[in-house]
Amino acid sequence: MWRAAGQLAPEWESNMAKHTVGIAGLGVVGAGVAAILEKNRAEITRRTGVEIVVAAGAERDAGRAAEVTLSEGRVVSDASEFLKDPSIQTVVEVMGGTGYPKDFVLQAIAAGKNVVTANKALLAQHWTEITGAARAK
């Protein structure tokens, strides 16, 4: 279901105590997002009433993956594992590019995941298709 900014997804309303996130791409941006979420976890929970847990991160580069530690999560090499994991409610796509990331975002939407992306090129090139998929879900 398509939601405007500020509207909570139904699963957030029913699981206000904890929300799990998978980050696809653990380069500079993805590792930074994970670090910020983990460092500020208590403050985010205090302000929102929702504990954001980084349950998994995905990075194809084994060297880069080895540099990232998630306090409660696992690091995998294939982000598509997030789509099969019912415990992950939201995926954050920060892989960059427009090929595989587009397919991943569309599959995540089809799997019922919330999707967050910082990928401006992806949205610029595929906005209609991505928002159409979100509206149809």
Side-chain angles (χ1 to χ4, degrees):
M1 171 192 236
W2 175 258
R3 290 175 290 278
Q7 289 182 320
L8 290 178
E11 61 272 16
W12 277 53
E13 293 171 2
S14 63
N15 297 316
M16 288 301 286
K18 186 175 182 179
H19 192 84
T20 55
V21 175
I23 300 175
L26 293 173
V28 173
V29 175
V33 168
I36 288 168
L37 288 173
E38 292 203 340
K39 177 183 176 192
N40 297 301
R41 180 190 224 160
E43 182 65 13
I44 293 167
T45 302
R46 186 186 70 74
R47 289 184 182 194
T48 66
V50 178
E51 180 183 15
I52 306 293
V53 177
V54 180
E59 177 55 54
R60 287 187 265 190
D61 181 318
R64 205 179 303 163
E67 296 173 4
V68 177
T69 302
L70 303 175
S71 63
E72 289 190 36
R74 65 193 189 281
V75 177
V76 298
S77 61
D78 184 1
S80 68
E81 287 186 35
F82 299 170
L83 307 181
K84 302 171 200 159
D85 184 343
S87 73
I88 295 178
Q89 297 163 291
T90 297
V91 293
V92 178
E93 183 282 310
V94 285
M95 295 179 277
T98 58
Y100 177 71
K102 179 190 110 175
D103 295 338
F104 176 75
V105 165
L106 291 173
Q107 290 169 7
I109 291 168
K113 306 293 185 186
N114 299 301
V115 177
V116 176
T117 184
N119 191 332
K120 294 175 285 299
L122 172 66
L123 295 177
Q125 290 180 23
H126 303 289
W127 176 259
T128 303
E129 185 176 1
I130 291 170
T131 56
R135 284 187 178 105
K137 188 66 182 170

PDB file of all heavy atoms in Angstrom, residues 98-131:
ATOM      1  N   THR A  98      21.546   1.302 -10.697  1.00  0.00           N
ATOM      2  CA  THR A  98      20.135   1.208 -11.048  1.00  0.00           C
ATOM      3  C   THR A  98      19.705  -0.176 -11.536  1.00  0.00           C
ATOM      4  O   THR A  98      18.515  -0.413 -11.677  1.00  0.00           O
ATOM      5  CB  THR A  98      19.771   2.238 -12.140  1.00  0.00           C
ATOM      6  OG1 THR A  98      20.588   1.996 -13.290  1.00  0.00           O
ATOM      7  CG2 THR A  98      19.980   3.661 -11.645  1.00  0.00           C
ATOM      8  N   GLY A  99      20.615  -1.082 -11.761  1.00  0.00           N
ATOM      9  CA  GLY A  99      20.262  -2.413 -12.262  1.00  0.00           C
ATOM     10  C   GLY A  99      19.724  -3.314 -11.170  1.00  0.00           C
ATOM     11  O   GLY A  99      18.512  -3.438 -10.970  1.00  0.00           O
ATOM     12  N   TYR A 100      20.639  -3.953 -10.433  1.00  0.00           N
ATOM     13  CA  TYR A 100      20.225  -4.841  -9.351  1.00  0.00           C
ATOM     14  C   TYR A 100      19.418  -4.102  -8.280  1.00  0.00           C
ATOM     15  O   TYR A 100      18.417  -4.642  -7.802  1.00  0.00           O
ATOM     16  CB  TYR A 100      21.429  -5.555  -8.728  1.00  0.00           C
ATOM     17  CG  TYR A 100      21.030  -6.427  -7.559  1.00  0.00           C
ATOM     18  CD1 TYR A 100      20.311  -7.602  -7.765  1.00  0.00           C
ATOM     19  CD2 TYR A 100      21.325  -6.049  -6.254  1.00  0.00           C
ATOM     20  CE1 TYR A 100      19.912  -8.381  -6.686  1.00  0.00           C
ATOM     21  CE2 TYR A 100      20.932  -6.826  -5.172  1.00  0.00           C
ATOM     22  CZ  TYR A 100      20.225  -7.990  -5.403  1.00  0.00           C
ATOM     23  OH  TYR A 100      19.822  -8.758  -4.343  1.00  0.00           O
ATOM     24  N   PRO A 101      19.789  -2.890  -7.895  1.00  0.00           N
ATOM     25  CA  PRO A 101      18.978  -2.193  -6.887  1.00  0.00           C
ATOM     26  C   PRO A 101      17.510  -2.032  -7.292  1.00  0.00           C
ATOM     27  O   PRO A 101      16.617  -2.167  -6.460  1.00  0.00           O
ATOM     28  CB  PRO A 101      19.672  -0.845  -6.729  1.00  0.00           C
ATOM     29  CG  PRO A 101      21.097  -1.160  -7.016  1.00  0.00           C
ATOM     30  CD  PRO A 101      21.036  -2.154  -8.155  1.00  0.00           C
ATOM     31  N   LYS A 102      17.245  -1.788  -8.569  1.00  0.00           N
ATOM     32  CA  LYS A 102      15.846  -1.680  -9.016  1.00  0.00           C
ATOM     33  C   LYS A 102      15.128  -3.004  -8.812  1.00  0.00           C
ATOM     34  O   LYS A 102      14.028  -3.050  -8.252  1.00  0.00           O
ATOM     35  CB  LYS A 102      15.757  -1.272 -10.480  1.00  0.00           C
ATOM     36  CG  LYS A 102      14.310  -1.188 -10.978  1.00  0.00           C
ATOM     37  CD  LYS A 102      14.242  -1.029 -12.470  1.00  0.00           C
ATOM     38  CE  LYS A 102      13.708  -2.315 -13.029  1.00  0.00           C
ATOM     39  NZ  LYS A 102      13.463  -2.368 -14.416  1.00  0.00           N
ATOM     40  N   ASP A 103      15.738  -4.085  -9.242  1.00  0.00           N
ATOM     41  CA  ASP A 103      15.128  -5.407  -9.073  1.00  0.00           C
ATOM     42  C   ASP A 103      14.908  -5.712  -7.591  1.00  0.00           C
ATOM     43  O   ASP A 103      13.857  -6.216  -7.203  1.00  0.00           O
ATOM     44  CB  ASP A 103      16.005  -6.496  -9.699  1.00  0.00           C
ATOM     45  CG  ASP A 103      16.124  -6.355 -11.211  1.00  0.00           C
ATOM     46  OD1 ASP A 103      15.240  -5.713 -11.825  1.00  0.00           O
ATOM     47  OD2 ASP A 103      17.104  -6.877 -11.774  1.00  0.00           O
ATOM     48  N   PHE A 104      15.899  -5.384  -6.770  1.00  0.00           N
ATOM     49  CA  PHE A 104      15.805  -5.634  -5.332  1.00  0.00           C
ATOM     50  C   PHE A 104      14.657  -4.841  -4.708  1.00  0.00           C
ATOM     51  O   PHE A 104      13.859  -5.383  -3.945  1.00  0.00           O
ATOM     52  CB  PHE A 104      17.129  -5.281  -4.647  1.00  0.00           C
ATOM     53  CG  PHE A 104      17.077  -5.410  -3.155  1.00  0.00           C
ATOM     54  CD1 PHE A 104      17.102  -6.658  -2.547  1.00  0.00           C
ATOM     55  CD2 PHE A 104      16.980  -4.291  -2.348  1.00  0.00           C
ATOM     56  CE1 PHE A 104      17.040  -6.784  -1.172  1.00  0.00           C
ATOM     57  CE2 PHE A 104      16.916  -4.404  -0.973  1.00  0.00           C
ATOM     58  CZ  PHE A 104      16.948  -5.652  -0.384  1.00  0.00           C
ATOM     59  N   VAL A 105      14.548  -3.574  -5.045  1.00  0.00           N
ATOM     60  CA  VAL A 105      13.477  -2.732  -4.492  1.00  0.00           C
ATOM     61  C   VAL A 105      12.111  -3.262  -4.918  1.00  0.00           C
ATOM     62  O   VAL A 105      11.183  -3.363  -4.100  1.00  0.00           O
ATOM     63  CB  VAL A 105      13.671  -1.256  -4.894  1.00  0.00           C
ATOM     64  CG1 VAL A 105      12.416  -0.429  -4.648  1.00  0.00           C
ATOM     65  CG2 VAL A 105      14.857  -0.655  -4.142  1.00  0.00           C
ATOM     66  N   LEU A 106      11.957  -3.618  -6.173  1.00  0.00           N
ATOM     67  CA  LEU A 106      10.673  -4.150  -6.650  1.00  0.00           C
ATOM     68  C   LEU A 106      10.337  -5.476  -5.964  1.00  0.00           C
ATOM     69  O   LEU A 106       9.185  -5.717  -5.598  1.00  0.00           O
ATOM     70  CB  LEU A 106      10.689  -4.306  -8.167  1.00  0.00           C
ATOM     71  CG  LEU A 106      10.717  -2.995  -8.956  1.00  0.00           C
ATOM     72  CD1 LEU A 106      10.911  -3.268 -10.442  1.00  0.00           C
ATOM     73  CD2 LEU A 106       9.463  -2.174  -8.711  1.00  0.00           C
ATOM     74  N   GLN A 107      11.337  -6.335  -5.772  1.00  0.00           N
ATOM     75  CA  GLN A 107      11.106  -7.601  -5.072  1.00  0.00           C
ATOM     76  C   GLN A 107      10.752  -7.358  -3.608  1.00  0.00           C
ATOM     77  O   GLN A 107       9.911  -8.057  -3.043  1.00  0.00           O
ATOM     78  CB  GLN A 107      12.342  -8.492  -5.177  1.00  0.00           C
ATOM     79  CG  GLN A 107      12.585  -9.022  -6.569  1.00  0.00           C
ATOM     80  CD  GLN A 107      13.957  -9.673  -6.713  1.00  0.00           C
ATOM     81  OE1 GLN A 107      14.688  -9.850  -5.739  1.00  0.00           O
ATOM     82  NE2 GLN A 107      14.313 -10.022  -7.939  1.00  0.00           N
ATOM     83  N   ALA A 108      11.401  -6.373  -2.991  1.00  0.00           N
ATOM     84  CA  ALA A 108      11.098  -6.044  -1.595  1.00  0.00           C
ATOM     85  C   ALA A 108       9.664  -5.550  -1.454  1.00  0.00           C
ATOM     86  O   ALA A 108       8.944  -5.952  -0.535  1.00  0.00           O
ATOM     87  CB  ALA A 108      12.083  -4.998  -1.072  1.00  0.00           C
ATOM     88  N   ILE A 109       9.239  -4.706  -2.371  1.00  0.00           N
ATOM     89  CA  ILE A 109       7.855  -4.213  -2.345  1.00  0.00           C
ATOM     90  C   ILE A 109       6.894  -5.388  -2.516  1.00  0.00           C
ATOM     91  O   ILE A 109       5.919  -5.522  -1.772  1.00  0.00           O
ATOM     92  CB  ILE A 109       7.634  -3.135  -3.431  1.00  0.00           C
ATOM     93  CG1 ILE A 109       8.417  -1.870  -3.074  1.00  0.00           C
ATOM     94  CG2 ILE A 109       6.147  -2.834  -3.603  1.00  0.00           C
ATOM     95  CD1 ILE A 109       8.509  -0.855  -4.203  1.00  0.00           C
ATOM     96  N   ALA A 110       7.192  -6.255  -3.478  1.00  0.00           N
ATOM     97  CA  ALA A 110       6.329  -7.416  -3.720  1.00  0.00           C
ATOM     98  C   ALA A 110       6.277  -8.342  -2.502  1.00  0.00           C
ATOM     99  O   ALA A 110       5.258  -8.979  -2.249  1.00  0.00           O
ATOM    100  CB  ALA A 110       6.821  -8.190  -4.946  1.00  0.00           C
ATOM    101  N   ALA A 111       7.375  -8.381  -1.734  1.00  0.00           N
ATOM    102  CA  ALA A 111       7.433  -9.237  -0.540  1.00  0.00           C
ATOM    103  C   ALA A 111       6.770  -8.571   0.663  1.00  0.00           C
ATOM    104  O   ALA A 111       6.749  -9.148   1.753  1.00  0.00           O
ATOM    105  CB  ALA A 111       8.886  -9.579  -0.216  1.00  0.00           C
ATOM    106  N   GLY A 112       6.253  -7.355   0.479  1.00  0.00           N
ATOM    107  CA  GLY A 112       5.562  -6.672   1.567  1.00  0.00           C
ATOM    108  C   GLY A 112       6.462  -5.916   2.523  1.00  0.00           C
ATOM    109  O   GLY A 112       6.028  -5.540   3.610  1.00  0.00           O
ATOM    110  N   LYS A 113       7.706  -5.687   2.128  1.00  0.00           N
ATOM    111  CA  LYS A 113       8.635  -4.948   2.982  1.00  0.00           C
ATOM    112  C   LYS A 113       8.450  -3.449   2.784  1.00  0.00           C
ATOM    113  O   LYS A 113       8.104  -2.985   1.696  1.00  0.00           O
ATOM    114  CB  LYS A 113      10.094  -5.302   2.641  1.00  0.00           C
ATOM    115  CG  LYS A 113      10.421  -6.768   2.658  1.00  0.00           C
ATOM    116  CD  LYS A 113      10.339  -7.370   4.027  1.00  0.00           C
ATOM    117  CE  LYS A 113      10.800  -8.824   4.006  1.00  0.00           C
ATOM    118  NZ  LYS A 113      10.607  -9.482   5.285  1.00  0.00           N
ATOM    119  N   ASN A 114       8.695  -2.686   3.846  1.00  0.00           N
ATOM    120  CA  ASN A 114       8.840  -1.248   3.705  1.00  0.00           C
ATOM    121  C   ASN A 114      10.200  -1.026   3.066  1.00  0.00           C
ATOM    122  O   ASN A 114      11.141  -1.769   3.344  1.00  0.00           O
ATOM    123  CB  ASN A 114       8.814  -0.563   5.078  1.00  0.00           C
ATOM    124  CG  ASN A 114       7.512  -0.793   5.802  1.00  0.00           C
ATOM    125  OD1 ASN A 114       6.457  -0.436   5.318  1.00  0.00           O
ATOM    126  ND2 ASN A 114       7.587  -1.414   6.970  1.00  0.00           N
ATOM    127  N   VAL A 115      10.322  -0.013   2.218  1.00  0.00           N
ATOM    128  CA  VAL A 115      11.581   0.240   1.522  1.00  0.00           C
ATOM    129  C   VAL A 115      11.991   1.688   1.731  1.00  0.00           C
ATOM    130  O   VAL A 115      11.189   2.607   1.550  1.00  0.00           O
ATOM    131  CB  VAL A 115      11.460  -0.046   0.009  1.00  0.00           C
ATOM    132  CG1 VAL A 115      12.750   0.299  -0.718  1.00  0.00           C
ATOM    133  CG2 VAL A 115      11.078  -1.497  -0.243  1.00  0.00           C
ATOM    134  N   VAL A 116      13.265   1.859   2.087  1.00  0.00           N
ATOM    135  CA  VAL A 116      13.871   3.178   2.186  1.00  0.00           C
ATOM    136  C   VAL A 116      15.080   3.151   1.268  1.00  0.00           C
ATOM    137  O   VAL A 116      15.847   2.190   1.273  1.00  0.00           O
ATOM    138  CB  VAL A 116      14.336   3.472   3.633  1.00  0.00           C
ATOM    139  CG1 VAL A 116      15.063   4.802   3.710  1.00  0.00           C
ATOM    140  CG2 VAL A 116      13.165   3.425   4.595  1.00  0.00           C
ATOM    141  N   THR A 117      15.253   4.198   0.465  1.00  0.00           N
ATOM    142  CA  THR A 117      16.431   4.261  -0.392  1.00  0.00           C
ATOM    143  C   THR A 117      16.976   5.681  -0.448  1.00  0.00           C
ATOM    144  O   THR A 117      16.218   6.640  -0.349  1.00  0.00           O
ATOM    145  CB  THR A 117      16.135   3.751  -1.821  1.00  0.00           C
ATOM    146  OG1 THR A 117      17.367   3.763  -2.573  1.00  0.00           O
ATOM    147  CG2 THR A 117      15.108   4.599  -2.547  1.00  0.00           C
ATOM    148  N   ALA A 118      18.285   5.766  -0.590  1.00  0.00           N
ATOM    149  CA  ALA A 118      18.949   7.044  -0.788  1.00  0.00           C
ATOM    150  C   ALA A 118      19.444   7.139  -2.229  1.00  0.00           C
ATOM    151  O   ALA A 118      20.226   8.015  -2.567  1.00  0.00           O
ATOM    152  CB  ALA A 118      20.129   7.168   0.182  1.00  0.00           C
ATOM    153  N   ASN A 119      18.967   6.239  -3.077  1.00  0.00           N
ATOM    154  CA  ASN A 119      19.466   6.083  -4.440  1.00  0.00           C
ATOM    155  C   ASN A 119      18.717   7.012  -5.396  1.00  0.00           C
ATOM    156  O   ASN A 119      17.696   6.639  -5.970  1.00  0.00           O
ATOM    157  CB  ASN A 119      19.324   4.611  -4.840  1.00  0.00           C
ATOM    158  CG  ASN A 119      20.034   4.280  -6.122  1.00  0.00           C
ATOM    159  OD1 ASN A 119      20.205   5.139  -6.977  1.00  0.00           O
ATOM    160  ND2 ASN A 119      20.414   3.022  -6.257  1.00  0.00           N
ATOM    161  N   LYS A 120      19.256   8.201  -5.576  1.00  0.00           N
ATOM    162  CA  LYS A 120      18.602   9.202  -6.421  1.00  0.00           C
ATOM    163  C   LYS A 120      18.548   8.781  -7.885  1.00  0.00           C
ATOM    164  O   LYS A 120      17.557   9.017  -8.560  1.00  0.00           O
ATOM    165  CB  LYS A 120      19.309  10.553  -6.267  1.00  0.00           C
ATOM    166  CG  LYS A 120      19.157  11.140  -4.865  1.00  0.00           C
ATOM    167  CD  LYS A 120      19.936  12.400  -4.672  1.00  0.00           C
ATOM    168  CE  LYS A 120      21.396  12.212  -4.511  1.00  0.00           C
ATOM    169  NZ  LYS A 120      21.878  11.435  -3.393  1.00  0.00           N
ATOM    170  N   ALA A 121      19.587   8.145  -8.380  1.00  0.00           N
ATOM    171  CA  ALA A 121      19.591   7.694  -9.777  1.00  0.00           C
ATOM    172  C   ALA A 121      18.494   6.654 -10.009  1.00  0.00           C
ATOM    173  O   ALA A 121      17.781   6.701 -11.016  1.00  0.00           O
ATOM    174  CB  ALA A 121      20.955   7.119 -10.149  1.00  0.00           C
ATOM    175  N   LEU A 122      18.349   5.735  -9.075  1.00  0.00           N
ATOM    176  CA  LEU A 122      17.309   4.714  -9.167  1.00  0.00           C
ATOM    177  C   LEU A 122      15.931   5.359  -9.240  1.00  0.00           C
ATOM    178  O   LEU A 122      15.113   5.017 -10.107  1.00  0.00           O
ATOM    179  CB  LEU A 122      17.396   3.776  -7.959  1.00  0.00           C
ATOM    180  CG  LEU A 122      16.267   2.756  -7.805  1.00  0.00           C
ATOM    181  CD1 LEU A 122      16.300   1.744  -8.939  1.00  0.00           C
ATOM    182  CD2 LEU A 122      16.374   2.067  -6.457  1.00  0.00           C
ATOM    183  N   LEU A 123      15.665   6.281  -8.346  1.00  0.00           N
ATOM    184  CA  LEU A 123      14.352   6.930  -8.326  1.00  0.00           C
ATOM    185  C   LEU A 123      14.125   7.805  -9.548  1.00  0.00           C
ATOM    186  O   LEU A 123      13.021   7.838 -10.091  1.00  0.00           O
ATOM    187  CB  LEU A 123      14.182   7.738  -7.036  1.00  0.00           C
ATOM    188  CG  LEU A 123      14.145   6.900  -5.766  1.00  0.00           C
ATOM    189  CD1 LEU A 123      14.055   7.798  -4.547  1.00  0.00           C
ATOM    190  CD2 LEU A 123      13.008   5.894  -5.788  1.00  0.00           C
ATOM    191  N   ALA A 124      15.163   8.493  -9.997  1.00  0.00           N
ATOM    192  CA  ALA A 124      15.020   9.346 -11.181  1.00  0.00           C
ATOM    193  C   ALA A 124      14.687   8.529 -12.424  1.00  0.00           C
ATOM    194  O   ALA A 124      13.840   8.920 -13.230  1.00  0.00           O
ATOM    195  CB  ALA A 124      16.304  10.141 -11.405  1.00  0.00           C
ATOM    196  N   GLN A 125      15.306   7.371 -12.569  1.00  0.00           N
ATOM    197  CA  GLN A 125      15.100   6.552 -13.764  1.00  0.00           C
ATOM    198  C   GLN A 125      13.866   5.652 -13.684  1.00  0.00           C
ATOM    199  O   GLN A 125      13.281   5.321 -14.713  1.00  0.00           O
ATOM    200  CB  GLN A 125      16.332   5.688 -14.021  1.00  0.00           C
ATOM    201  CG  GLN A 125      17.528   6.479 -14.465  1.00  0.00           C
ATOM    202  CD  GLN A 125      18.741   5.594 -14.712  1.00  0.00           C
ATOM    203  OE1 GLN A 125      18.610   4.399 -14.962  1.00  0.00           O
ATOM    204  NE2 GLN A 125      19.912   6.175 -14.638  1.00  0.00           N
ATOM    205  N   HIS A 126      13.483   5.244 -12.480  1.00  0.00           N
ATOM    206  CA  HIS A 126      12.436   4.221 -12.364  1.00  0.00           C
ATOM    207  C   HIS A 126      11.302   4.619 -11.422  1.00  0.00           C
ATOM    208  O   HIS A 126      10.607   3.751 -10.897  1.00  0.00           O
ATOM    209  CB  HIS A 126      13.060   2.892 -11.905  1.00  0.00           C
ATOM    210  CG  HIS A 126      14.142   2.408 -12.828  1.00  0.00           C
ATOM    211  ND1 HIS A 126      13.877   1.920 -14.085  1.00  0.00           N
ATOM    212  CD2 HIS A 126      15.485   2.383 -12.680  1.00  0.00           C
ATOM    213  CE1 HIS A 126      15.016   1.579 -14.674  1.00  0.00           C
ATOM    214  NE2 HIS A 126      16.000   1.857 -13.845  1.00  0.00           N
ATOM    215  N   TRP A 127      11.121   5.904 -11.208  1.00  0.00           N
ATOM    216  CA  TRP A 127      10.104   6.397 -10.276  1.00  0.00           C
ATOM    217  C   TRP A 127       8.717   5.828 -10.564  1.00  0.00           C
ATOM    218  O   TRP A 127       8.046   5.326  -9.672  1.00  0.00           O
ATOM    219  CB  TRP A 127      10.067   7.919 -10.313  1.00  0.00           C
ATOM    220  CG  TRP A 127       8.982   8.510  -9.461  1.00  0.00           C
ATOM    221  CD1 TRP A 127       7.774   8.992  -9.881  1.00  0.00           C
ATOM    222  CD2 TRP A 127       8.994   8.661  -8.042  1.00  0.00           C
ATOM    223  NE1 TRP A 127       7.042   9.449  -8.815  1.00  0.00           N
ATOM    224  CE2 TRP A 127       7.774   9.248  -7.670  1.00  0.00           C
ATOM    225  CE3 TRP A 127       9.925   8.351  -7.053  1.00  0.00           C
ATOM    226  CZ2 TRP A 127       7.457   9.530  -6.354  1.00  0.00           C
ATOM    227  CZ3 TRP A 127       9.600   8.642  -5.742  1.00  0.00           C
ATOM    228  CH2 TRP A 127       8.375   9.216  -5.404  1.00  0.00           C
ATOM    229  N   THR A 128       8.280   5.905 -11.793  1.00  0.00           N
ATOM    230  CA  THR A 128       6.937   5.462 -12.155  1.00  0.00           C
ATOM    231  C   THR A 128       6.746   3.976 -11.861  1.00  0.00           C
ATOM    232  O   THR A 128       5.725   3.579 -11.281  1.00  0.00           O
ATOM    233  CB  THR A 128       6.650   5.772 -13.634  1.00  0.00           C
ATOM    234  OG1 THR A 128       6.818   7.174 -13.841  1.00  0.00           O
ATOM    235  CG2 THR A 128       5.234   5.369 -14.017  1.00  0.00           C
ATOM    236  N   GLU A 129       7.710   3.169 -12.235  1.00  0.00           N
ATOM    237  CA  GLU A 129       7.604   1.730 -12.000  1.00  0.00           C
ATOM    238  C   GLU A 129       7.611   1.392 -10.503  1.00  0.00           C
ATOM    239  O   GLU A 129       6.811   0.585 -10.024  1.00  0.00           O
ATOM    240  CB  GLU A 129       8.754   0.998 -12.703  1.00  0.00           C
ATOM    241  CG  GLU A 129       8.663  -0.493 -12.622  1.00  0.00           C
ATOM    242  CD  GLU A 129       9.761  -1.206 -13.403  1.00  0.00           C
ATOM    243  OE1 GLU A 129      10.618  -0.538 -14.004  1.00  0.00           O
ATOM    244  OE2 GLU A 129       9.745  -2.447 -13.389  1.00  0.00           O
ATOM    245  N   ILE A 130       8.504   2.034  -9.748  1.00  0.00           N
ATOM    246  CA  ILE A 130       8.618   1.743  -8.318  1.00  0.00           C
ATOM    247  C   ILE A 130       7.380   2.225  -7.566  1.00  0.00           C
ATOM    248  O   ILE A 130       6.813   1.488  -6.759  1.00  0.00           O
ATOM    249  CB  ILE A 130       9.922   2.359  -7.743  1.00  0.00           C
ATOM    250  CG1 ILE A 130      11.124   1.605  -8.311  1.00  0.00           C
ATOM    251  CG2 ILE A 130       9.913   2.329  -6.213  1.00  0.00           C
ATOM    252  CD1 ILE A 130      12.456   2.256  -8.031  1.00  0.00           C
ATOM    253  N   THR A 131       6.944   3.434  -7.825  1.00  0.00           N
ATOM    254  CA  THR A 131       5.759   3.933  -7.108  1.00  0.00           C
ATOM    255  C   THR A 131       4.502   3.188  -7.554  1.00  0.00           C
ATOM    256  O   THR A 131       3.595   2.973  -6.754  1.00  0.00           O
ATOM    257  CB  THR A 131       5.564   5.445  -7.289  1.00  0.00           C
ATOM    258  OG1 THR A 131       5.487   5.759  -8.693  1.00  0.00           O
ATOM    259  CG2 THR A 131       6.717   6.222  -6.652  1.00  0.00           C
TER     260      THR A 131
END
